[in-house]
Amino acid sequence: MTAAVGIPPAVTEETEAFWSAAEQGRLVVERCEACGTESFPPRGMCPSCRGRSMAAAEITDRGRIYSFTINYQRWLPDLEVPFALVLVEFPEHPGVRVFGRIRGCAPEEVAIGDEVEVGFEPGPGGFAIPSFVAVEGAA
Amino acid sequence: MGTERFEQRAVISGVGQSAIGRQVDRSGFQLTLDAIVAAIDDAGLSIDDIDGLAMFPGGGKANLPGYASGNLYEVQDALRITTTWRQGQVEGMSLPFYGPAQAVATGEARHVVIWRTVKEGSAARHAGGRPAYGSIHPEAEGPLAWLLPVGALSPACQIAPFATRYMHEYGVTREQLAWIPVTQRAHAALNPAAVYREPLSVEDYLASRMISSPICLYDCDVPADGATAIVVSTVEAAADLRAPVRIEAMAGVIDGRPSWEQWEDMGRVGYATAAAMWGRTDLRPGDVDVAQLYDGFTIEAVWWLEAMGFCGTGEAGAFVEGGERISLGGELPLNTWGGQLSGGRLHAGFGHTAEAVRQLRGEAGERQVRGAEVAAVTNVGGYEAGAALLTRW
């Protein structure tokens, strides 16, 4: 299974830190230097205090699947299907939700509430895309 | 309700459509002109009466092949009119007639024609299937940068997690929700302009292929070719109009994070818009005789059934099950033209608005809802949303 077929992201001043870290297998979001609020995607403004000093903050702990879909349709030639897409939230990081693929389980086994580890895999255009890893035996 | 509402200074005076089908072998521009001429004629006006133009989307902006068609200036040139107000836009399109109603209510224009032309049916044929969202651009920009690279290549995959979450939270089943496309197909059978008119059963629905779970083929609207035009006029011109329809109330509120994947509560969509709309009228959900609720996907109609208060949160499955309540003789006939699921993806609430106007005038032919005096119209949901009540003149 490859996730390389697809459409790559346009990288901007706001998103450069995310995609660079992704290449190293690290998930970074924005953290407000004034009030500590974390947010994603990066906007360069704190959604809580509207402060403009935002720093990259890495998330290393497990996330939980908020919702998901299993895509069966071949939207592009050579797109490998089926694959699951998951929306992952992090109990320790309110305000952060990340959309990505999932590995380590069959698509049909994905369920809301399941725990996942942060991960990435090669995506379109040489970018590393979020690809969470199912936690063995997670309920 | 003593305060004056600007939308009551505007009326919808005309609706018109081109030929509509899976493929219509004429240019989008000619379909546009067909719809505009028909809508102006339907209003009882002449082309020279029109002084405002608006289209969706503006600037030919598109993320899907066939999504955008034409250019506002070329239309004005074809009509050879003078305009005092123009609008073409992607954002802020809570309802097709929202901006035009503001324009005529403030006197910036007297008669505005707005149109939406799609050639997505032909585009899908040329692509050998429904194409990927954003595939006409080499890179995914803006909100799409978080969707397309991971493989959420269609609105189907982007909206499917809403349906997954909704069904999880409220225990609603596909067997229940099947009744929305099935009932709408029965309505489409009575609409000569609908794209798909053959009977559809719950068994057909359950046997259809999955697109992006839990969204199956019949949960997706039908890519189509066609144009819809709507004329919005100042209420002061009512005496000049053939059959105007009132805008009782309308609203468009985005109160959540405006992106598909960041919407906070995927089990509840459209509530702020519906609340704002109901706050502008003394009418209540029980007063609505016919509902044209946006249905790009089945789940979007579910959002609006609940947000508008036609049933409680999480109760849409039970509400639509069996189809009786949402059929022509039921308490809330739903998407009587077939909706986008069977009538065709005319998009952005244009098909829904055209049908609401026809129902309120008693001009809906075999699918006419008897005595329809109040119609609800909604558009999209989530990060763009609009809701309105239209009433008989």
Side-chain angles (χ1 to χ4, degrees):
Chain A
M1 178 66 77
T2 172
V5 174
I7 300 168
V11 178
T12 66
E13 176 182 329
E14 290 76 22
T15 65
E16 199 276 332
F18 174 85
W19 294 112
S20 298
E23 208 169 295
Q24 303 159 3
R26 297 165 49 235
L27 174 62
V28 301
V29 300
E30 274 189 333
R31 186 172 186 279
C32 176
E33 294 188 318
C35 76
T37 298
E38 290 176 329
S39 60
F40 185 79
R43 303 273 183 238
M45 179 180 278
C46 173
S48 180
C49 75
R50 276 68 182 261
R52 300 297 306 279
S53 294
M54 304 295 284
E58 183 171 357
I59 292 181
T60 56
D61 38 338
R62 285 179 179 177
R64 260 180 207 286
I65 294 174
Y66 171 76
S67 193
F68 68 95
T69 182
I70 306 165
N71 178 68
Y72 294 89
Q73 179 79 6
R74 188 169 281 115
W75 304 103
L76 294 168
D78 304 324
L79 183 70
E80 289 185 28
V81 294
F83 57 87
L85 291 164
V86 292
L87 287 167
V88 174
E89 295 185 336
F90 299 87
E92 305 303 311
H93 304 271
V96 174
R97 182 192 285 171
V98 179
F99 207 9
R101 295 205 181 200
I102 181 167
R103 294 166 292 157
C105 69
E108 289 76 12
E109 290 169 7
V110 173
I112 287 174
D114 279 1
E115 285 195 331
V116 294
E117 300 276 5
V118 167
F120 292 82
E121 71 175 304
F127 285 87
I129 59 164
S131 179
F132 297 93
V133 182
V135 174
E136 198 74 34
Chain B
M1 183 82 31
T3 49
E4 191 188 6
R5 287 151 280 160
F6 78 87
E7 59 267 43
Q8 298 195 339
R9 299 179 50 77
V11 296
I12 298 180
S13 54
V15 295
Q17 289 174 311
S18 69
I20 293 165
R22 276 292 260 173
Q23 280 99 37
V24 180
D25 286 326
R26 299 188 62 214
S27 71
F29 194 78
Q30 293 308 308
L31 298 181
T32 300
L33 294 181
D34 286 350
I36 287 174
V37 169
I40 295 169
D41 185 57
D42 181 67
L45 297 169
S46 70
I47 290 175
D48 286 324
D49 291 321
I50 302 299
D51 55 5
L53 295 177
M55 69 183 292
F56 175 89
K61 206 170 165 183
N63 286 308
L64 278 168
Y67 182 92
S69 184
N71 174 292
L72 187 144
Y73 302 115
E74 289 179 323
V75 170
Q76 175 161 348
D77 190 53
L79 300 177
R80 293 299 165 105
I81 56 173
T82 298
T83 58
T84 55
W85 183 87
R86 296 160 300 282
Q87 184 181 58
Q89 58 185 13
V90 172
E91 296 83 4
M93 196 58 213
S94 63
L95 285 162
F97 45 87
Y98 202 106
Q102 290 174 317
V104 299
T106 56
E108 290 180 74
R110 278 177 69 81
H111 302 288
V112 174
V113 64
I114 179 162
W115 67 92
R116 175 83 178 96
T117 302
V118 287
K119 288 284 284 182
E120 291 182 332
S122 288
R125 179 183 58 182
H126 294 140
R130 199 164 180 168
Y133 204 69
S135 59
I136 58 175
H137 303 300
E139 292 181 327
E141 297 182 357
L144 294 177
W146 308 108
L147 298 168
L148 305 184
V150 300
L153 289 159
S154 162
C157 336
Q158 296 160 14
I159 292 175
F162 285 74
T164 303
R165 185 76 200 186
Y166 170 82
M167 293 165 74
H168 170 82
E169 283 192 22
Y170 301 112
V172 176
T173 66
R174 292 186 63 228
E175 286 76 3
Q176 293 178 307
L177 298 184
W179 287 97
I180 291 175
V182 165
T183 307
Q184 291 186 194
R185 179 62 66 86
H187 296 163
L190 303 175
N191 174 13
V195 174
Y196 285 135
R197 306 181 63 199
E198 314 75 41
L200 180 73
S201 68
V202 171
E203 292 69 32
D204 295 333
Y205 172 93
L206 294 172
S208 72
R209 64 194 166 89
M210 199 57 83
I211 302 297
S212 197
S213 70
I215 290 177
C216 70
L217 181 67
Y218 294 118
D219 288 319
C220 301
D221 59 6
V222 183
D225 291 356
T228 303
I230 299 165
V231 183
V232 178
S233 300
T234 170
V235 72
E236 292 165 13
D240 303 333
L241 303 170
R242 184 183 71 81
V245 162
R246 293 184 193 277
I247 305 173
E248 165 69 14
M250 63 180 183
V253 180
I254 305 177
D255 67 330
R257 295 190 66 185
S259 77
W260 288 124
E261 84 281 9
Q262 298 296 342
W263 187 262
E264 290 92 334
D265 182 353
M266 291 192 169
R268 291 166 52 93
V269 178
Y271 282 75
T273 292
M277 199 277 297
W278 289 118
R280 296 173 74 84
T281 177
D282 292 329
L283 295 175
R284 307 306 341 144
D287 296 318
V288 174
D289 299 308
V290 61
Q292 313 298 338
L293 306 183
Y294 189 77
D295 61 334
F297 298 98
T298 301
I299 190 67
E300 296 183 285
V302 170
W303 298 340
W304 286 117
L305 282 171
E306 298 186 356
M308 292 285 279
F310 297 127
C311 63
T313 301
E315 294 176 359
F319 186 80
V320 303
E321 195 165 7
E324 283 173 26
R325 289 190 185 85
I326 57 172
S327 292
L328 289 181
E331 64 187 76
L332 188 76
L334 174 66
N335 291 335
T336 47
W337 57 293
Q340 292 190 174
L341 298 178
S342 287
R345 183 178 147 80
L346 304 179
H347 200 235
F350 281 75
H352 299 83
T353 303
E355 177 70 3
V357 169
R358 289 170 177 149
Q359 287 285 349
L360 294 172
R361 288 169 167 175
E363 296 175 354
E366 282 189 78
R367 61 186 191 281
Q368 179 65 47
V369 173
R370 283 173 186 273
E373 294 188 0
V374 180
V377 179
T378 66
N379 188 27
V380 196
Y383 82 89
E384 188 55 271
L389 292 186
L390 306 182
T391 57
R392 191 148 78 181
W393 182 256

